[in-house]
Amino acid sequence: MEEGTPITHIDRERLYEKVWSSPMSHLAREYGVASQRLKDLCVQAKIPTPPAGHWTRVAAGKSVIRPPLPEAARDASIVIIAPSPSCNKTSSQPARVEADGRKAKSATKSIPGPKQKSSAKSAPYLSVPTQLRNPHRIIAAWLEEHQRSRENARRSTLPGLAPTPFTSVDRRRQRILDTLFKAIEKAGGKAIEEDRKKLAIELEGEAIPIQLREKNRQIRRSLTEDEKRWSWNAGKDWKLELQPTGKLVFEIKRYLPRDFRQDWLETDEVTLEACLPEIFNTLTRAAPLLALETQKRRERERLARIAEHERYLAEQARKRDDNQWQRFLEVADNWQRHERARHFLQALKQLDLDPDIMIGERSLGEWLVWVERRLTTGNPLNQGIDTLFADIEKVTNYTYSQQHKHW
């Protein structure tokens, strides 16, 4: 929000919809006021606001309760939001930073020294101390592990077990992370250490992986006499090697929405300590947007699963319909065979036959009676049409094998 933001007149209904569609901190920046001021205006206008943890539950896909907008007096249907001068000042710098986006890779291109100092003063709890006191639990665990390794190395007779001593860059890295972690947790977030000491910031239910490391540069180093004798270095006088620069780089290892910066490389003019307020603002401002993106993605996935299930049910219904039709055709074929057998029996009866002739254990007349009985019991029409379709109704999509040819 830039200076000179106009006063906003907005309907209660419209403000009610916006309050329940976006975090209060986002709307506060949009209107140039503090979050608490915007919430007080909603209370005065009898507009219910989301409770604490609402957006975290939304991001997690949990159900939330949205109270209805109560009626208000006719003369109170418009809410007037007057921007706060202090909010306009503090929000102007992040706007300039976002405008630079990823075009500026070093801290000097987006945060000149004098302006960064004023930003650090505006957020004193982000001031990095010169000494580490009462370290954050993650930093404390690192220090304890390093101390245990040193003690184990002293007790061991095996060489090479002692851990590498912390450098001045290591100490700076610990202090910067300690300051950032504590600030994030004051803002309602949490610092997370994942496998292999990978770090992440959790805000609004979103885990944002981060990395703070020393920047290396690639240099040409002349080969030693011993290295020149190695076969794979035949004909070579130098090799490429990474060398520490003593400069720190902070990286956000997750894709952020458009215009958010992802990395900060300190220079001789601006240290990473001076960039910490911008890093903090980027994380806290990007987290709600990431939570909304996660919510939309989960909704898309849920709708996709519903559509896939509906397609599955439709396919099962189609298979069952095909199998029921197959059963009907089988009954029709059976009836047609009975009709042919009945005509054949009538033709046999027209012949001049002696019914008393014995054929096996039956006489010819008994054989004719047996044929008539089978024609009667096996004719599908004699079982009744309701029995016919009741039999077809029992057919499922698993009644016939997949290789059976459908009609």
Side-chain angles (χ1 to χ4, degrees):
M1 185 70 64
E2 298 180 355
E3 294 186 11
T5 303
I7 297 176
T8 301
H9 296 73
I10 185 171
D11 293 339
R12 285 180 69 249
E13 293 79 4
R14 176 59 178 162
L15 183 57
Y16 167 74
E17 292 295 333
K18 292 175 75 67
V19 163
W20 287 91
S21 301
S22 180
M24 190 73 72
S25 58
H26 286 192
L27 295 179
R29 283 193 292 270
E30 179 181 341
Y31 295 121
V33 298
S35 300
Q36 187 59 45
R37 173 58 180 164
L38 181 58
K39 187 172 183 178
D40 292 341
L41 291 174
C42 291
V43 172
Q44 295 173 9
K46 297 182 179 179
I47 299 174
T49 58
H54 170 82
W55 296 109
T56 301
R57 291 181 60 85
V58 170
K62 299 180 179 179
S63 61
V64 294
I65 299 176
R66 175 175 171 175
L69 178 65
E71 295 184 0
R74 182 171 301 178
D75 56 352
S77 60
I78 300 297
V79 179
I80 301 175
I81 306 176
S84 170
S86 61
C87 289
N88 287 336
K89 290 180 181 180
T90 56
S91 60
S92 61
Q93 181 178 349
R96 289 195 298 273
V97 171
E98 284 189 17
D100 291 336
R102 297 178 179 80
K103 295 180 181 178
K105 288 296 181 182
S106 63
T108 55
K109 294 182 181 179
S110 60
I111 313 178
K115 291 185 179 180
Q116 183 57 41
K117 290 181 180 179
S118 63
S119 175
K121 290 180 180 179
S122 65
Y125 62 92
L126 289 180
S127 176
V128 180
T130 56
Q131 292 184 352
L132 187 62
R133 296 186 176 89
N134 189 23
H136 184 271
R137 54 180 175 78
I138 294 179
I139 309 300
W142 293 350
L143 298 177
E144 292 175 3
E145 180 183 358
H146 188 269
Q147 183 63 26
R148 284 196 303 270
S149 299
R150 291 181 57 186
E151 294 175 356
N152 293 337
R154 283 198 298 267
R155 292 192 295 265
S156 176
T157 58
L158 297 176
L161 292 181
T164 304
F166 289 134
T167 65
S168 59
V169 176
D170 293 331
R171 297 292 185 183
R172 285 183 58 214
R173 177 175 178 269
Q174 294 166 4
R175 297 196 303 272
I176 292 173
L177 289 175
D178 177 77
T179 304
L180 178 62
F181 291 167
K182 292 176 179 177
I184 288 295
E185 293 185 353
K186 284 184 179 180
K190 183 169 62 174
I192 303 173
E193 183 179 19
E194 300 174 338
D195 295 339
R196 299 182 180 179
K197 294 187 177 181
K198 292 183 179 179
L199 300 174
I201 297 297
E202 185 177 293
L203 284 165
E204 302 286 344
E206 293 294 313
I208 307 175
I210 63 170
Q211 184 181 49
L212 178 57
R213 59 179 177 84
E214 184 177 4
K215 179 70 175 179
N216 294 322
R217 64 179 178 181
Q218 198 173 53
I219 63 169
R220 284 188 178 186
R221 180 180 64 80
S222 299
L223 296 176
T224 64
E225 293 300 325
D226 289 338
E227 290 174 335
K228 289 180 180 179
R229 287 194 291 268
W230 296 344
S231 60
W232 53 82
N233 286 330
K236 296 181 181 179
D237 296 325
W238 53 269
K239 65 178 292 187
L240 291 175
E241 191 172 77
L242 291 177
Q243 183 182 69
T245 63
K247 305 296 184 184
L248 290 174
V249 55
F250 185 94
E251 297 173 293
I252 296 177
K253 310 298 286 187
R254 175 174 173 178
Y255 178 77
L256 299 182
R258 185 179 178 183
D259 295 334
F260 277 97
R261 195 170 172 185
Q262 302 262 165
D263 52 41
W264 290 260
L265 172 62
E266 68 176 350
T267 65
D268 294 333
E269 292 77 18
V270 179
T271 63
L272 196 64
E273 287 87 342
C275 303
L276 203 55
E278 184 191 2
I279 294 172
F280 174 82
N281 288 336
T282 298
L283 290 168
T284 53
R285 292 175 59 199
L289 299 180
L290 294 174
L292 291 177
E293 287 183 356
T294 299
Q295 180 186 4
K296 293 178 181 178
R297 173 179 56 78
R298 289 176 176 170
E299 179 64 14
R300 290 194 299 269
E301 292 174 351
R302 186 183 70 85
L303 295 177
R305 289 194 298 269
I306 292 175
E308 178 64 23
H309 184 63
E310 290 177 348
R311 287 193 295 270
Y312 170 79
L313 294 178
E315 178 64 14
Q316 297 303 303
R318 183 193 65 79
K319 289 181 179 179
R320 185 187 184 194
D321 187 75
D322 287 347
N323 289 338
Q324 288 177 332
W325 177 245
Q326 177 66 24
R327 177 56 180 158
F328 181 83
L329 294 178
E330 290 176 355
V331 174
D333 289 341
N334 188 26
W335 171 79
Q336 191 175 40
R337 290 197 304 270
H338 277 75
E339 285 297 299
R340 289 199 303 270
R342 184 174 61 82
H343 288 297
F344 181 58
L345 177 61
Q346 292 176 354
L348 291 177
K349 289 181 178 181
Q350 293 176 3
L351 298 176
D352 186 13
L353 300 175
D354 184 359
D356 295 328
I357 296 177
M358 295 299 295
I359 303 177
E361 297 180 354
R362 298 177 182 176
S363 65
L364 182 56
E366 290 174 337
W367 279 113
L368 295 177
V369 171
W370 172 79
V371 172
E372 289 179 348
R373 184 177 71 254
R374 293 302 303 265
L375 287 174
T376 301
T377 57
N379 191 339
L381 297 183
N382 293 338
Q383 299 176 6
I385 192 171
D386 53 342
T387 303
L388 168 65
F389 286 105
D391 176 67
I392 294 176
E393 171 63 22
K394 296 177 182 178
V395 174
T396 67
N397 57 329
Y398 301 109
T399 302
Y400 301 93
S401 61
Q402 292 296 328
Q403 69 264 18
H404 198 292
K405 181 179 179 182
H406 293 287
W407 291 82

